[in-house]
Amino acid sequence: MNSGQTKTDRWLNISKARRWLRIAALVLAAICLVLAVFNLSPKPPLSSHYPKSTAIYAKHGELLRLTLASDGQFRLWTPLRQIPAHARTAALLYEDRWFYRHPGVNPWALARAAWATLASSGRQGGSTITMQLSRQLYRVDRRSYLGKLSQIALALWLELRYSKDEILEAYLNGVSYGGNIVGIGAASRIYFHKPAAELNLIESLTLAVIPQNPARRVPAHGRLPPALLAARNRLWQSWIAEFPEDSRFANDLALPLPVYSRSELAFEAPHLTDLLLQRCAGAETIHSSLHLNVQKSLERSLRNYLAVNRGKGIQNAAALLIDADTMQVRALVGSADYRNAAIDGQVNGALAKRSPGSTLKPFVYALALDQGLVHPRTILADLPTAFGPYSPENFDGRFEGPITVQDALIRSRNVPAVVTAAKLSGPTLYQFLQRAGVGRLQGEQHYGLSLALGGGEVTMEELAELYALLVNQGMSKRLDYCGARSETGPLPLLSSAAAFITLDMLKHNPRPDSKRPDRPDTAWKTGTSWGFRDAWSVGVVGRHVLVVWVGNFDGAKNPALIGGKAAAPLFFSIIDSLRSQRLLNGLDDPIPAFTPEAVAEVEVCAASGDLPNADCPVRAKTWFIPGKSPIKTSTLHRAVYLDPETGNIVCPNTANSRKEIVEFWDSEMLRLFEQAGMPRRPPPHLPDCYRNPEGLGDAPRIVSPSRAGTYALRLGKASTLPLKANTTASDSVYWFANQSFIAKTAPAEAYSWQPSHPGRYLISAVDAEGRSASTEIQVELAP
């Protein structure tokens, strides 16, 4: 019987063991399943629990600005891999040296803390880093026993879901380092003006002891408080015990440690950082293209300039510098003083729409080059000219008479620019600006021809993009503040030949101080808005574009606000300062830096701008676009023979006659020279022996209508169109409309013609020799 009971007991024991094994296996499987569910179920990164500051950096990594997070804290999230090993180790050694060996709770530390609390009637911490993190994340009240239990449970829960490295990273980024400075990234930037990755051992030990008692240990007034020093010394002893080889840093520990305060936090390039915060809303990190040393140089130049010129009522200025190759912004000063409310200092001048004055003239001539209307030595007429009710005047109130395109551009003559703009077709200046991205333009009719003289409004950004277009061989590109690739590719707006020639003309513009072109090259232009409200200077320096504006944001008038006198000196002081400091590469590069295959250099007659004939006495070189630039053989200079006794012109084979070169200017040009104070002799009457097919002179040149196109006449008004033509060797011009005779005029005399009905008209001008010129126009009636 005993034997049977023994077998029964043995069988029962085996059954119980098997049952417990099954239960244990089920429990283990359940635990594994729970762990798998925790690890595989979606979980937000710990960083998502924290509002973050936005950090804006310069091109070379300098901090420009650190904003407050939405909860009013400075919190700069720093990945664990960017926190030095000694900074991580110091935090673990001081807060939780068993961190990587416990499951989130250290029972021994909790028991020791409980005993010490009961024995001393006080409190002693026993929280692990994971427990502290749970308190950060879930706002647990640790002062109550229930709160402590909740903290322990949440710590275990965190350990189940996240790795040790994730927990340590979150702790170091979420712990307080005093006041509203949260996380090691923000603390490093504020206290030591460096990223956490560059912390040395002494700095890491200093930061490690602050979170345990930030109220007493936070650095203040550039000094470390005694409580911080004492805590750091205790940590140092623990460190040496663990890493005796680091005792070589003991002398460094004894040295004063430079620290900074929140009031000394970087706040550089405020207009730029304001702009980036608007355009990159929500970004935690913004890496700008700004060159901080260049930015500071521009700011100094503006301050010094305004200090010297404040007596003239000049109170504000702005500047923008870009690298035209990359279209990256290297410096932006939106106003002279961001904190000065009296000048509206927080307004960003780079974004303000202002009248550009004459700074758009280079693009009038660039378009004319592309449309085959001119080349640099084409002779233009600077004389009183009316376009209906619009009569442009030059800034100085004078007229120069005949002037080359290059001189008209660098001397900023208004009338030749408007006359040239009137001849543009496909595209006009307005259409060009639209395609170039100039925003908020009104209709083309609103501006008329005044657009060439600054009748519209542009921003500094838009001007910088326009001048960069010349550097980039006619390709339009958008500005880039952050080094990001543009969503839209380059847009061809000018030929590389026109861009090249325009830059070459601009580099002959003399400096305001030396009255000579800048060396190294600077291709630049000034502008003055109507009413003396804005003074501009903009140009190309090597591969960079600099835009300078001087004025007042309230639009107040000031006679001192003249581009050449107010903006140009500041423009060149910036360039000279940058060159002397050698802050930017490429400022001394030649301009233009490219020579297109589509351009050629030709010799022309200096006086006429045409190819020299055998009689041209003075010749000059000019750039020319083959197949596009207007070119013909000059007929201005002609050889005649004079009787030595009477001085009369005689036939070439007359005995004892002497040869003389005579200028045959047309009637209009003769009048121009006379108005300019440089009278010319009228062309002499030639004997019949000079009149051969090669020497009959030029056909009449129609001055008005200035170009083929559509002309609108007002209903109910006696509207007329002026007809005017020049001729070189005739005293009469006969006008025809669709072969119907209209009138007879003298050369350069205007006749007011009133069309009988709307429609298409072929307008012809015929001189007494039968030579003619024609242009076709469309007449419409407008209400």
Side-chain angles (χ1 to χ4, degrees):
M1 185 172 181
N2 291 335
S3 174
Q5 288 177 343
T6 302
K7 290 180 179 179
T8 301
D9 292 341
R10 188 179 302 135
W11 182 82
L12 290 173
N13 291 335
I14 292 172
S15 297
K16 289 179 180 180
R18 288 174 177 172
R19 187 165 60 250
W20 282 111
L21 285 173
R22 284 197 296 270
I23 293 171
L26 289 172
V27 171
L28 182 61
I31 291 173
C32 291
L33 179 62
V34 170
L35 291 175
V37 169
F38 273 122
N39 285 316
L40 296 177
S41 62
K43 57 183 178 182
L46 290 170
S47 62
S48 66
H49 293 269
Y50 297 90
K52 300 172 188 66
S53 300
T54 295
I56 305 177
Y57 299 98
K59 176 179 173 62
H60 297 115
E62 305 95 334
L63 181 68
L64 299 177
R65 188 167 177 178
L66 183 65
T67 69
L68 289 170
S70 59
D71 60 355
Q73 310 295 309
F74 287 109
R75 187 184 290 103
L76 182 58
W77 193 270
T78 307
L80 193 64
R81 66 181 180 277
Q82 295 179 15
I83 301 174
H86 49 70
R88 286 177 270 157
T89 304
L92 293 175
L93 192 61
Y94 196 70
E95 293 287 352
D96 188 358
R97 64 173 61 213
W98 299 100
F99 172 73
Y100 280 100
R101 283 172 281 185
H102 63 62
V105 177
N106 188 338
W108 169 248
L110 285 175
R112 184 183 59 191
W115 174 257
T117 300
L118 292 172
S120 61
S121 299
R123 291 185 178 274
Q124 179 173 327
S127 297
T128 63
I129 279 179
T130 312
M131 292 171 65
Q132 294 182 57
L133 178 63
S134 69
R135 188 174 69 250
Q136 290 177 21
L137 292 175
Y138 306 112
R139 304 293 188 268
V140 178
D141 183 4
R142 59 175 178 166
R143 292 172 296 183
S144 68
Y145 290 108
L146 182 60
K148 200 68 174 179
L149 291 174
S150 298
Q151 187 180 8
I152 291 171
L154 289 169
L156 294 173
W157 186 80
L158 284 173
E159 292 274 355
L160 285 172
R161 303 201 73 196
Y162 297 95
S163 70
K164 286 287 188 181
D165 283 352
E166 289 175 307
I167 292 170
L168 180 60
E169 178 183 280
Y171 167 78
L172 290 173
N173 281 282
V175 71
S176 172
Y177 285 86
N180 63 345
I181 303 172
V182 177
I184 193 170
S188 178
R189 282 288 183 181
I190 292 173
Y191 292 138
F192 301 121
H193 284 190
K194 62 172 63 174
E198 297 178 9
L199 288 170
N200 60 37
L201 176 60
I202 306 305
E203 292 164 344
S204 296
L205 295 174
T206 303
L207 291 181
V209 302
I210 295 176
Q212 200 175 88
N213 194 347
R216 297 185 61 226
R217 297 176 185 176
V218 64
H221 309 295
R223 300 176 63 183
L224 303 181
L228 188 151
L229 292 172
R232 189 181 68 176
N233 286 335
R234 292 194 296 272
L235 177 58
W236 172 251
Q237 297 305 319
S238 300
W239 186 274
I240 292 301
E242 291 285 336
F243 309 104
E245 68 275 10
D246 285 344
S247 59
R248 66 186 186 277
F249 296 112
N251 290 335
D252 295 335
L253 189 73
L255 295 173
L257 182 64
V259 290
Y260 303 90
S261 66
R262 278 169 293 186
S263 63
E264 298 172 283
L265 184 62
F267 190 71
E268 305 289 353
H271 295 96
L272 172 72
T273 54
D274 281 350
L275 179 62
L276 292 176
L277 288 172
Q278 293 172 7
R279 295 186 178 179
C280 310
E284 295 176 20
T285 303
I286 301 173
H287 294 280
S288 76
S289 59
L290 181 131
H291 193 304
L292 186 56
N293 289 335
V294 173
Q295 173 75 18
K296 290 180 178 294
S297 179
L298 261 68
E299 291 172 353
R300 284 194 301 271
S301 294
L302 262 68
R303 284 196 302 270
N304 294 339
Y305 171 81
L306 291 174
V308 172
N309 290 277
R310 195 160 281 117
K312 300 176 183 177
I314 297 177
Q315 300 178 344
N316 209 350
L320 174 64
L321 179 68
I322 71 168
D323 185 326
D325 281 354
T326 62
M327 294 304 290
Q328 293 182 350
V329 175
R330 294 291 178 242
L332 187 158
V333 186
S335 74
D337 186 352
Y338 183 84
R339 294 182 171 88
N340 188 347
I343 61 170
D344 299 312
Q346 293 190 20
V347 173
N348 188 347
L351 306 180
K353 282 283 189 178
R354 313 290 297 190
S355 166
S358 296
T359 58
L360 297 183
K361 287 178 182 173
F363 305 100
V364 172
Y365 294 113
L367 291 169
L369 286 164
D370 256 345
Q371 295 178 24
L373 301 176
V374 298
H375 59 72
R377 295 199 70 91
T378 296
I379 302 298
L380 301 177
D382 183 12
L383 78 162
T385 306
F387 298 86
Y390 178 53
S391 299
E393 294 185 359
N394 291 310
F395 181 79
D396 57 9
R398 299 170 50 228
F399 298 95
E400 295 292 332
I403 190 170
T404 66
V405 165
Q406 179 168 300
D407 284 345
L409 175 58
I410 65 177
R411 293 167 64 183
S412 200
R413 308 307 293 172
N414 288 345
V415 174
V418 174
V419 171
T420 304
K423 297 177 181 179
L424 296 177
S425 60
T428 62
L429 178 61
Y430 177 87
Q431 293 165 344
F432 168 80
L433 295 177
Q434 272 193 320
R435 295 185 65 199
V438 175
R440 301 198 311 239
L441 286 173
Q442 300 191 47
E444 186 167 8
Q445 297 301 320
H446 174 81
Y447 303 108
L449 295 173
S450 69
L451 192 60
L453 307 182
E457 292 183 330
V458 300
T459 66
M460 294 182 73
E461 286 186 321
E462 290 165 344
L463 266 183
E465 289 177 347
L466 286 171
Y467 277 75
L469 180 151
L470 298 176
V471 185
N472 292 320
Q473 304 189 45
M475 305 296 289
S476 176
K477 303 177 183 178
R478 300 279 78 84
L479 287 185
D480 175 13
Y481 287 92
C482 306
R485 184 172 297 175
S486 174
E487 296 180 0
T488 58
L491 179 66
L493 296 184
L494 293 173
S495 70
S496 60
F500 170 87
I501 295 173
T502 304
L503 276 178
D504 184 75
M505 291 192 291
L506 286 173
K507 75 179 183 182
H508 291 88
N509 197 3
R511 289 176 59 120
D513 45 8
S514 67
K515 309 303 179 185
R516 297 177 181 176
D518 194 27
R519 292 291 179 267
D521 291 340
T522 300
W524 67 290
K525 184 74 184 72
T526 59
T528 306
S529 69
W530 291 337
F532 303 101
R533 291 178 172 86
D534 308 275
W536 295 89
S537 187
V538 53
V540 177
V541 193
R543 67 169 186 264
H544 294 82
V545 174
L546 174 63
V547 185
V548 167
W549 170 86
V550 180
N552 300 293
F553 288 146
D554 62 2
K557 297 181 180 181
N558 184 346
L561 293 177
I562 299 173
K565 296 181 179 179
L570 174 57
F571 178 86
F572 279 101
S573 71
I574 291 173
I575 292 173
D576 294 344
S577 177
L578 291 175
R579 281 174 170 164
S580 65
Q581 297 174 80
R582 298 192 177 278
L583 293 178
L584 277 177
N585 294 325
L587 290 181
D588 297 340
D589 289 350
I591 300 174
F594 60 94
T595 304
E597 294 181 0
V599 300
E601 194 173 32
V602 298
E603 187 178 61
V604 296
C605 188
S608 66
D610 296 327
L611 294 175
N613 60 8
D615 298 323
C616 177
V618 180
R619 306 181 182 202
K621 295 281 190 179
T622 190
W623 292 108
F624 173 76
I625 307 177
K628 186 177 288 185
S629 295
I631 206 73
K632 63 179 181 178
T633 301
S634 176
T635 57
L636 174 62
H637 301 92
R638 304 180 191 178
V640 298
Y641 291 83
L642 303 178
D643 185 309
E645 295 183 0
T646 65
N648 296 328
I649 296 178
V650 295
C651 292
N653 54 2
T654 303
N656 299 324
S657 61
R658 60 181 176 83
K659 183 179 180 181
E660 184 174 317
I661 303 299
V662 177
E663 294 179 352
F664 282 75
W665 294 104
D666 64 30
S667 53
E668 182 74 7
M669 295 300 289
L670 288 173
R671 186 164 68 89
L672 282 179
F673 279 118
E674 186 174 358
Q675 289 178 343
M678 302 178 292
R680 294 290 194 273
R681 289 188 303 175
H685 178 73
L686 297 177
D688 290 341
C689 58
Y690 286 90
R691 299 194 179 277
N692 52 60
E694 289 75 25
L696 282 176
D698 299 328
R701 181 172 59 87
I702 296 177
V703 177
S704 178
S706 60
R707 59 173 174 158
T710 301
Y711 292 80
L713 303 182
R714 300 288 183 184
L715 281 172
K717 293 187 177 181
S719 302
T720 61
L721 286 176
L723 305 179
K724 184 167 69 170
N726 296 328
T727 181
T728 57
S730 177
D731 55 4
S732 300
V733 177
Y734 300 89
W735 291 96
F736 297 85
N738 292 341
Q739 299 183 351
S740 296
F741 176 72
I742 299 174
K744 173 186 175 184
T745 66
E749 177 187 355
Y751 175 77
S752 296
W753 170 58
Q754 184 173 6
S756 59
H757 58 273
R760 187 169 296 277
Y761 290 87
L762 180 66
I763 305 298
S764 302
V766 184
D767 68 7
E769 303 294 335
R771 296 163 295 196
S772 65
S774 299
T775 185
E776 193 172 43
I777 64 171
Q778 177 74 29
V779 174
E780 294 181 352
L781 296 181

